[in-house]
Amino acid sequence: MTTPKYVYVYANGHAEGRGDQKELLGGKGAGLAEMTNLGIPVPAGFTLTTEVCTYFNEHNKEYPPGLWEEVLDAMRQTEEAMGHRFGDPADPLLVSVRSGARVSMPGMMDTVLNLGLNDETVQGLIAKSGNERFGYDAYRRFITMYGDVVLGVPHSAFEEILDAKKEEVGVTLDTELSADDLKSLIAPYKALVLERTGKPFPEDPMEQLRGGINAVFDSWNVPRAITYRKLNNIPDHWGTAVNVVSMVYGNRGESSGTGVAFTRDPATGERIFFGEYLVDAQGEDVVAGIRTPLPIAELERQMPEIYRELVEIYQRLEAHYKDMQDMEFTVEEGKLYMLQTRTGKRTAQAAVRIAVEMVGEGLIDEATAVSRVEPAQLDQLLHPRIDTDQPVEVIAQGLPASPGAAVGEVVFTAESAIEEVAKGRQVILVRAETSPDDVGGMHVAEGILTARGGMTSHAAVVARGMGKCCVAGCSAITVDAEARQITVGDRVVREFDTLSLNGSTGEVILGAAKLIVPELSGDFNTLMGWADKIRTLKVRTNADTPEDAANAVAFGAEGIGLCRTEHMFFGEERLPVVQEMILAEDEAARRAALAKLLPFQRDDFLGLFRAMDGRPVTIRLLDPPLHEFLPSREGLIEEVATLRANGNNDGTLAEREALLAKVNHLHELNPMLGHRGCRLGISYPEIYEMQAEAIALAAATLAKEGKQIVPEIMVPLVGTVAEFRYLKERIVKVVEAVKARESVALDYLIGTMIEIPRAALTADRIAEEAQFFSCGTNDLTQMTFGYSRDDAGVFLPDYVEKKILPVDPFQVLDRDGVGQLVRMAVEKGRATRPELKVGICGEHGGEPSSIEFCHQVGLDYVSCSPFRVPIARLAAAQAVLADRG
Amino acid sequence: MTTPKYVYVYANGHAEGRGDQKELLGGKGAGLAEMTNLGIPVPAGFTLTTEVCTYFNEHNKEYPPGLWEEVLDAMRQTEEAMGHRFGDPADPLLVSVRSGARVSMPGMMDTVLNLGLNDETVQGLIAKSGNERFGYDAYRRFITMYGDVVLGVPHSAFEEILDAKKEEVGVTLDTELSADDLKSLIAPYKALVLERTGKPFPEDPMEQLRGGINAVFDSWNVPRAITYRKLNNIPDHWGTAVNVVSMVYGNRGESSGTGVAFTRDPATGERIFFGEYLVDAQGEDVVAGIRTPLPIAELERQMPEIYRELVEIYQRLEAHYKDMQDMEFTVEEGKLYMLQTRTGKRTAQAAVRIAVEMVGEGLIDEATAVSRVEPAQLDQLLHPRIDTDQPVEVIAQGLPASPGAAVGEVVFTAESAIEEVAKGRQVILVRAETSPDDVGGMHVAEGILTARGGMTSHAAVVARGMGKCCVAGCSAITVDAEARQITVGDRVVREFDTLSLNGSTGEVILGAAKLIVPELSGDFNTLMGWADKIRTLKVRTNADTPEDAANAVAFGAEGIGLCRTEHMFFGEERLPVVQEMILAEDEAARRAALAKLLPFQRDDFLGLFRAMDGRPVTIRLLDPPLHEFLPSREGLIEEVATLRANGNNDGTLAEREALLAKVNHLHELNPMLGHRGCRLGISYPEIYEMQAEAIALAAATLAKEGKQIVPEIMVPLVGTVAEFRYLKERIVKVVEAVKARESVALDYLIGTMIEIPRAALTADRIAEEAQFFSCGTNDLTQMTFGYSRDDAGVFLPDYVEKKILPVDPFQVLDRDGVGQLVRMAVEKGRATRPELKVGICGEHGGEPSSIEFCHQVGLDYVSCSPFRVPIARLAAAQAVLADRG
């Protein structure tokens, strides 16, 4: 039995780990190892693997036996590489302890810097750096951070002591404090720790290290990290690695600095060296957005050699990883260190451009390019932007931190964002700056506006990751969260006032700006073309109007997978006729009303057929229960009671009572499971006959113009083959009669929805008659789980919160349950009718993970809303690539 | 290739067919063949098989090639056996053409008698019989019947001519007409046929035969036959055979007669020769109930030799068939002919007694006895009877035609019976006599009362088959259907007045008699004991109260499979506390209300446990949505609107508005798919915790008394293993705490309902945690079909009517769909946990066909309402016997 290796060292141009070991070493650890092996300057250090985290969580916060010996050995190698010793009073090596999960979780977990400092070693640091202020600044920062993160003494308690000191010496900024001022903080800081924890602040560097490592592993399970994982579908069991890295300092004066850079512009995708840096600053200062940094181009002027070295490194890193990199670097007294490299987050626009251009550059192939863009992210490109041709009142200008547009009512805290959105409002979250605690609020907001912070600030990075519009660093505004208002010059914007954000320009606009549908770039179409070459699933759209249909065709829809005819019944001229039909006392009266609807329906279908220009069109016959077309029962009850109490006798009461009686008659306790779909068609065959006739007439009109259309007539809510057979016979009769009467040849298919569990269970029988299936996964999810979509809002969020469900099954197809039925429908259906066409037309048809499943089970097509068609095209291609492994 | 044989002859003591060929020859044909082979005197004849019917229906009323040649050949053999020739003017053979399906469908299809008569052969008949009146009576009856059945000339048109003749000669009864009078009818009858059909009445006997055969095959598809098949679950494709039988005449004077007999009493099962006959009458006269016949015992006096021969034959037949036989016979001028024998219909009481006594007689074995009683029929024995100790006002006395008791409102037509029952009324159908057209109305009525007809009249036979109470031949009453009233002496009973019937005594009682639970006979218990030895399925009961539980134990229940705890929440003292719990603003207030409910619940369970005396008890935790415990929303809306309109300001309005707000908050669009079952348990774990504590406390109390009970705690509406795990953890914690606190050892199981399709689909996962499954097939049927049980009444009857569904799936388990999920639950559940106990607790648990399915898929038990426990025991045994083949 071999003992597992828990600690991986990188030092002296050699690393024990590799870049492809992200699962074991985390993203940061793998990146540091890989960079070390590439000969790129990295501060030496070592990584405790994610397996340690798992062990730690599963063993009541115990470590695996032998771990500490491995840490000590790794520390010896690190000391050797860096030429200092940890805890050496004369020339101490200082280290940071940082989290590093498989995928980046920016700012979610803890970090401690400057471990190894104590009353003795701080003297060595001062001696070696020749900078007493730097030494004490590092020391007091260390006590604050360690005290907060490891010992649980709130940051604010240290800040109080600091503020008192500033007041005492009469300064306002930390930087105005002298070395002596900073030195004088050490004793009260330590006293604070002793008072709050009952123990003295640990002087022993090894004890500090142990405490730091503990704290970082612990931080895997802080609430904000758990929330982030939930939002990003990161499994809890992955765990984080911990990196112990030699400290290097960007705050050792004018020849030092620190920065963040991307190998391409993460917002636009342009192939430029992009980044920001601060001179004489620690890395955290850039990310936290407290000081506004300089663009990386300035570095060429300020530190030309460093800039050249950095450019050479970034080019090597991108060429090595063949993807856009997000790097952190520090310059310590003229020496460059790379602290991290990882695949850079990017906007959808950038993702598309980078992927396409990298193919042009020969860096990657088309399939890789297709796999590089998150389908869900495309939403950003496909949703409306601000119409710049319309006059808008721009009240401030910030940084275009995450593109897109947002209109909403202003709120000032993450909590109120969540509350108001729950009430149905759309909100803009406005913060001076955001912190990881704001992530939940950012998630529900339409857009985020911050007064401080740069393009790589927390708000900007997180918003881009979410594909959410963000204007950051808008220093023209003053945010008063307490008073719930923003001041811009002499203008005041209050809570719930409406603002619009243009994340692509950084403009902050008063009121609701007009939004327009975006044009898609050439790169976008190129990428979609590649996706189309790869995918095998067809992509159709759910569209009820010629306008929607045309939109969807522009987005690449290859047909209509679901046209809901009931939407056509609600038109102003039609609803009275529909009500006449419902209130009819007998079949003759019903047929008379339906005859009036026929020309409307025929023209509806003709418009759709023309818009689709020969592409297949699936038309679902009337589905909802009839009471949906009548006034609400509750309203009538109230009205009748009021009329009665008021002694009405002008006939209104009698008329409303009669209507209420009919509505009561049609009332259902569970309309979802009631008299709807094909059940209506069977009770009143004349309704479906009218619709079938309208479809046939529209197709006949086109046929006479020499145009081909093969309508697919779809019967909803079928649960038994007998239902389908009963209706199919009648539909065929009507269509054949139209063909004969109009003397045209027409091809058509008659198929069914698979949306009742029993339809999936007996799909072999249903396929004896049905010529196609379309899986209605909305209803199928309702019935398979027994969740009413209209009512489940009461408990579903709680279910996801309590991890009873991993995600909302109405958003992401439940593979274990609903998916099992979909698979059954496909397999049983094709066992009877091998050529059976099977598609999906629920909301899941536009959701990437669900589309992957549809590909896996062998569906012919997915159908989704027009705006999601490109997402589906891309997801379908990625499903093929995932299959290839 | 061998040509199929379509015609089977029986003649001269030899038959080509056999008694076990009912599928091919129909019941009547197989019986005639078998009797012939047994050497019993049967008029010679032949049978056209059911395959001819199938061919006829599938080939647009064409016959298979070669059929007619077979018929002619069979006719030749028949002529030979009977010693006359068909169409012989000197001595004609006459025949009847009769239907005969696999199972008896009494009176549903057509029959034609006396084929072979024409103007010439009638003279031969007269010459041979020496009875001119008989000859012309036969001839005019033949023209009427053939005209009606085959040629479609209504019976009433012939009756008009007959009535005119009676008026002309001044008589009132047919029997008063002379031979000449009857002879004089022939010409106008034929003229009528010519006028109505445009063709002369067929004189050619062979043409008559062909027409008769056609008409009988056609009558398989007349509406009343279709209705009867639907009610009795007889497949349409079975078809009928057609029997061509030599005519023999019971109406050739005082040495002739006709009758119907049973080998045992079909009402009580007593081993006596039972039957009725009429002297000088045709067979149809007995069945139609027009003349009231004599008991068979009279025959011994009137025709002692015939009686002895008949007794010898009935004993042979019963010994041969080893079951009670229902026979028809005719005596023609002193010669006995058996016309039919078949297994006799009987009441449940008779079925039990006959089965048990036949075992005692060594005729059959116990297993056969068990298979001889229809489980569903037991309902008759298990439902209340009239309490004879209470004074009742008997207004008339009829024949005790079908036992049991019925209370209902009087209606006079089958249509109004159906209408009123649809409105929720219970009705007694009163008719002068019933005809096959009344079957639909009889089916829905509580009981049937007729003024005419004997124990073997249509009403009596059909009612016994249905297990429906019937008093027949109650000649004291006069039924005026037109005026919608009954007259009994000077008393008038009007439509919708309440009557009670005692089908066991024949009493007709004014008003609603008191009904009592019947005692079960010793035979019943003997039979149940045999069933218990055979069956492998356990039988439990659904019971919520100690009374129900005790009842069920008396009926043989082996445990409680479903105790619905919500019923316990509706008690007068409890509902206010339940409402307090629901309206609580926070968990603390909810817990306070629940604490008040705890002692009630504990005592509920203690009572149940004591009643079950150590048998297993499955308790389902709270299932319905909370709004079921609050006032109705519609009522509140109305009340609030009225209070508002009236300007209420005494605080009532505000209070009702507040309640309405809460009710609105809890309102659901589809409560069936809403916040109920374990979803409530997860939202408010304190509810299930209280219930678990109450169960544990009750069990602990018993344990301290030294009594063992293993409560089975059942979580409803589980769809994912995570739901179950979440609740199981909490329940275990509560029960373990009680065990520790009370210092008792307790065994208990925690399991789940399988009633959500997803639970069945993921049963392998759920069984990782659940210790038992109970299939809730009510909800599972709702969700698998997508039918709300509360709403499906609008379309389900139509579905069954249109044959889209064979039966109501809420009554009979749908094996193809719902059954597939049940099977999946069993197989997947046991794959994970081989010892998993699986039961069923939906309504299907008491329905014989569903129980057979439960046995087939390997369930451990079924659970049903107390009164259905014996049905389930018997059905479970029969399932084993069916398995053995």
Side-chain angles (χ1 to χ4, degrees), chain B residues 304-557:
Chain B
E305 270 168 57
I306 294 292
Y307 183 77
R308 271 194 301 280
E309 192 182 352
L310 203 51
V311 165
E312 192 267 338
I313 287 171
Y314 102 71
Q315 286 167 344
R316 268 170 67 203
L317 283 173
E318 191 180 88
H320 178 72
Y321 285 107
K322 299 182 194 302
D323 200 355
M324 188 264 271
Q325 295 296 297
D326 165 359
M327 304 158 297
E328 290 177 19
F329 63 91
T330 283
V331 182
E332 188 182 50
E333 295 182 338
K335 172 155 176 48
L336 174 66
Y337 289 99
M338 299 306 293
L339 304 184
Q340 173 163 293
T341 190
R342 56 186 176 187
T343 301
K345 296 206 174 199
R346 63 204 78 178
T347 63
Q349 187 192 341
V352 170
R353 179 166 175 180
I354 292 170
V356 171
E357 289 186 355
M358 281 189 172
V359 172
E361 295 157 21
L363 216 51
I364 57 175
D365 62 10
E366 292 177 2
T368 306
V370 164
S371 71
R372 281 283 169 82
V373 180
E374 271 292 323
Q377 231 187 348
L378 291 185
D379 228 13
Q380 291 175 44
L381 301 183
L382 301 168
H383 275 107
R385 295 180 187 176
I386 286 175
D387 181 355
T388 49
D389 289 346
Q390 301 293 318
V392 291
E393 186 177 358
V394 176
I395 56 170
Q397 175 78 43
L399 300 173
S402 182
V407 176
E409 297 176 32
V410 169
V411 295
F412 290 92
T413 63
E415 294 70 40
S416 70
I418 292 167
E419 262 174 43
E420 298 304 322
V421 168
K423 292 181 198 157
R425 280 194 157 108
Q426 300 194 313
V427 305
I428 303 287
L429 176 61
V430 180
R431 301 285 288 155
E433 57 194 300
T434 65
S435 74
D437 294 332
D438 291 321
V439 169
M442 295 171 72
H443 194 71
V444 300
E446 295 296 302
I448 297 107
L449 169 62
T450 66
R452 279 180 282 178
M455 289 296 283
T456 52
S457 65
H458 177 266
V461 171
V462 173
R464 280 200 297 272
M466 288 177 176
K468 183 115 355 187
C469 168
C470 176
V471 172
C474 182
S475 49
I477 65 171
T478 309
V479 178
D480 184 343
E482 194 64 31
R484 302 190 170 226
Q485 63 180 42
I486 309 167
T487 320
V488 196
D490 54 4
R491 187 193 300 280
V492 174
V493 177
R494 296 207 166 71
E495 190 178 29
F496 304 136
D497 285 354
T498 296
L499 281 188
S500 305
L501 301 181
N502 187 337
S504 310
T505 62
E507 288 167 327
V508 179
I509 295 160
L510 194 67
K514 194 188 160 203
L515 302 181
I516 49 165
V517 176
E519 272 176 70
L520 295 172
S521 70
D523 285 342
F524 179 88
N525 287 326
T526 304
L527 189 79
M528 283 294 133
W530 295 339
D532 290 347
K533 282 196 281 181
I534 293 168
R535 70 186 162 94
T536 54
L537 267 178
K538 297 264 178 208
V539 176
R540 295 195 186 184
T541 191
N542 299 349
D544 309 336
T545 65
E547 297 70 40
D548 280 355
N551 247 339
V553 168
F555 281 137

Side-chain angles (χ1 to χ4, degrees), chain A residues 731-754:
Chain A
I731 294 166
V732 166
K733 212 160 151 187
V734 168
V735 177
E736 292 300 323
V738 170
K739 282 168 65 178
R741 207 165 66 223
E742 304 286 322
S743 305
V744 292
L746 272 187
D747 280 341
Y748 59 99
L749 300 174
I750 306 179
T752 182
M753 302 278 285
I754 300 289

Side-chain angles (χ1 to χ4, degrees), chain A residues 633-634 723 758 786 799, chain B residues 633-634 679 723 799 814:
Chain A
R633 181 160 170 258
E634 288 79 1
E723 288 175 315
R758 198 178 185 284
Y799 264 41
Chain B
R633 182 160 169 258
E634 288 78 2
R679 300 164 198 171
E723 287 174 317
Y799 264 42
D814 160 53

Side-chain angles (χ1 to χ4, degrees), chain B residues 279 357 552 611 720 774:
Chain B
V279 169
E357 289 186 355
T720 79
S774 177

